Amino acid sequence: MNTSKSQELFERAQSSIPGGVNSPVRAFRSVGGTPIFIKKAKGAYLYDVDGNRYIDYIASWGPMILGHAWEPVVKAIQEYAVWSTSYGAPTELEIEMAELIRAMTPGVDMVRMVSSGTEACMSAIRLARGFTGRNKIIKFEGHYHGHADPFLVKAGSGVATFNIQTVPGVTPGVSQDTLTAAYNDLPGVQQLLTAYPGAIAAIIVEPVAGNMGCILPEPGFLEGLRALCDREGIVFILDEVMTGFRLAPGGAQQRLGVNADLVTYGKVIGGGMPVGAFGGKKAIMQHIAPLGNVYQAGTLSGNPIAMIAGYTTLKFLQDNPSVYKELEDKTSYLRDGLDRVFKAWGQPYVINSLGSMISVHFSDHPVRDFSSASGASNGLFKLFFHSMLRRGIYLPPSAFESWFLNNALTIADLDATIKAAEESLEELEA
Ligand SMILES: *Cc1c(COP(=O)(O)O)cnc(C)c1O
């Protein structure tokens, strides 16, 4: 596979963009080699600047759940763009978007749109603090809630990928208000509540962890957190930036039957445009400005082009819930195929999946939290990643990221992926 143009572009990018990329994991640092520069995409396929085609398992890290350049979204953007791309004044589209989100997701009485998942999580924490009058939050090791200061303590995604222990620039004052526990460790959370009585404003959790590979909540874990929050007057925040509108029309809340006080969204909600949102119970949401004094704002929040892309995607998902069954069947098919070839390979591995999220860990023990995810072999993942890439399969360039299926994938694509995995594993042996 010739990737000379990507290599040239990467070299050129280094002098004007830090590390050559606008988001760290894209740089391929943990897997080595040169990032592929994308020219365009259609359906399940990415096309790079050298003309190579890849079957895409990133889906822009989630948003492209219906595949790339999905016609209704492309058309809607074209139609709305000619009326101006931003007003900074309210539109009916924003009400329609809010009403649609309310209709699709359980327990969301009110919702505020922002422009990224980071903003959504950052604002939800501020709101929880303003509402409770408490300062501390609890998050989980290896969970990622965007790059706002309070979340960069034992974070997942790129922070874990690059093994960054403390992030320079985040003050100790901020970090001391972020307490961490291990995912799936309810007693650990209980200990924090005992150690800091009356001080915890919020518990924020990825209901299904996706920023240290895909890791499922164990039975009773989320329910246990819900009960602790109820007992202690803590705001329970589900970070559904990854799982929202992906695991079900109502996200993990619907899929797993848990109820949050506040929920954050991103990724799928924007249909590929920069969108995030946070919402939840009216009693809490009414503390946001201009109703209350918890200030939060955004020049491009509710941007009409972003709203129409998101609305078109969500509306289709609401009207066609069979998409979720199709995605899940495809994921099971892929999982079964990978299971078969990994078993034949004979070395230890773990495949975790739920809905259309899946990941492979080269691990000899179950992967249930950050320490078990970190114990897996990154060396093998690296080799596997590149073998797959050479065969035209584009996996996330880090073992600490979930793979995302999109519904444009065909059974032939999945078969090609399984075959590529079989050949890649043979290569690992050699
Ligand atoms: C991606 C992600 C975020 C951050 O969203 P951005 O749009 O990248 O700011 C927050 N939480 C989770 C769970 C995510 O996966």
Side-chain angles (χ1 to χ4, degrees):
M1 183 178 282
N2 177 16
T3 57
S4 57
K5 279 194 184 141
S6 277
Q7 284 167 30
E8 272 167 42
L9 288 179
F10 190 48
E11 214 132 282
R12 184 175 141 208
Q14 314 276 337
S15 44
S16 49
I17 306 173
V21 293
N22 280 312
S23 198
V25 175
R26 294 180 201 166
F28 275 29
R29 289 250 170 143
S30 79
V31 290
T34 306
I36 301 300
F37 280 68
I38 304 300
K39 169 105 181 190
K40 61 177 185 180
K42 180 72 192 167
Y45 308 124
L46 296 171
Y47 299 87
D48 71 9
V49 287
D50 289 284
N52 302 304
R53 192 194 85 168
Y54 304 86
I55 301 176
D56 180 21
Y57 287 96
I58 299 186
S60 184
W61 303 97
M64 316 316 285
I65 190 167
L66 299 169
H68 290 275
W70 186 57
E71 205 87 353
V73 164
V74 173
K75 280 213 177 102
I77 290 174
Q78 285 171 336
E79 190 186 319
Y80 278 70
V82 297
W83 295 342
S84 180
T85 52
S86 181
Y87 311 112
T91 62
E92 185 175 358
L93 200 48
E94 292 165 87
I95 309 171
E96 279 170 9
M97 186 68 166
E99 288 173 350
L100 180 59
I101 294 167
R102 276 184 62 176
M104 290 178 79
T105 58
V108 173
D109 304 328
M110 295 184 126
V111 59
R112 167 77 46 98
M113 303 308 300
V114 293
S115 300
S116 69
T118 295
E119 270 186 87
C121 295
M122 175 184 100
S123 308
I125 289 295
R126 182 183 307 136
L127 176 55
R129 286 171 164 161
F131 174 70
T132 58
R134 303 172 182 176
N135 291 336
K136 294 194 186 300
I137 61 164
I138 295 176
K139 74 174 281 290
F140 295 90
E141 290 167 23
H143 285 213
Y144 183 68
H145 306 293
H147 66 91
D149 287 358
F151 304 124
L152 296 179
V153 179
K154 298 192 180 169
S157 188
V159 186
T161 300
F162 301 121
N163 194 21
I164 300 172
Q165 299 297 328
T166 52
V167 177
V170 176
T171 64
V174 168
S175 296
Q176 76 184 13
D177 283 331
T178 301
L179 309 172
T180 60
Y183 186 50
N184 281 322
D185 177 17
L186 207 51
V189 176
Q190 257 153 345
Q191 280 164 20
L192 289 176
L193 298 187
T194 309
Y196 298 93
I200 316 290
I203 296 179
I204 184 167
V205 63
E206 289 182 55
V208 176
N211 286 291
M212 45 182 177
C214 174
I215 306 183
L216 275 55
E218 288 169 3
F221 176 64
L222 295 172
E223 295 80 355
L225 293 179
R226 173 72 270 181
L228 288 176
C229 286
D230 286 340
R231 199 186 74 195
E232 307 280 336
I234 295 169
V235 178
F236 186 40
I237 306 175
L238 283 188
D239 179 350
E240 293 233 44
V241 170
M242 203 173 254
T243 52
F245 311 102
R246 174 162 283 279
L247 292 183
Q253 286 202 93
Q254 179 185 348
R255 176 68 202 244
L256 304 174
V258 268
N259 281 311
D261 298 315
L262 292 179
V263 201
T264 59
Y265 296 109
K267 301 194 167 111
V268 174
I269 201 173
M273 295 294 284
V275 182
F278 63 101
K281 298 195 171 137
K282 189 171 173 201
I284 305 176
M285 288 301 289
Q286 67 190 7
H287 289 264
I288 280 284
L291 274 185
N293 288 337
V294 179
Y295 197 74
Q296 187 281 328
T299 301
L300 290 171
S301 294
N303 172 273
I305 307 304
M307 291 302 98
I308 197 59
Y311 182 88
T312 306
T313 303
L314 297 195
K315 187 72 188 139
F316 183 85
L317 292 171
Q318 184 194 40
D319 293 343
N320 299 274
S322 60
V323 166
Y324 293 98
K325 171 86 169 70
E326 288 164 32
L327 273 168
E328 190 143 355
D329 287 348
K330 288 175 191 178
T331 309
S332 303
Y333 185 89
L334 178 65
R335 186 187 170 123
D336 290 348
L338 290 176
D339 216 28
R340 201 170 57 241
V341 300
F342 272 81
K343 213 165 253 153
W345 176 55
Q347 306 284 327
Y349 69 96
V350 170
I351 303 178
N352 289 340
S353 76
L354 185 72
S356 51
M357 294 166 65
I358 182 169
S359 66
V360 174
H361 299 262
F362 290 88
S363 170
D364 59 6
H365 48 263
V367 175
R368 58 184 293 269
D369 57 15
F370 184 65
S371 72
S372 46
S374 311
S377 167
N378 197 47
L380 283 176
F381 179 84
K382 206 163 149 170
L383 293 170
F384 181 69
F385 168 84
H386 279 291
S387 294
M388 292 293 274
L389 191 66
R390 277 196 299 278
R391 290 173 172 80
I393 313 295
Y394 198 100
L395 303 177
S398 163
F400 290 109
E401 302 285 358
S402 176
W403 313 359
F404 298 104
L405 272 72
N406 69 76
N407 209 31
L409 286 162
T410 63
I411 292 297
D413 294 328
L414 301 174
D415 283 335
T417 307
I418 295 161
K419 181 159 176 288
E422 188 173 20
E423 292 170 7
S424 295
L425 292 172
E426 273 165 26
E427 228 173 70
L428 287 194
E429 233 156 54

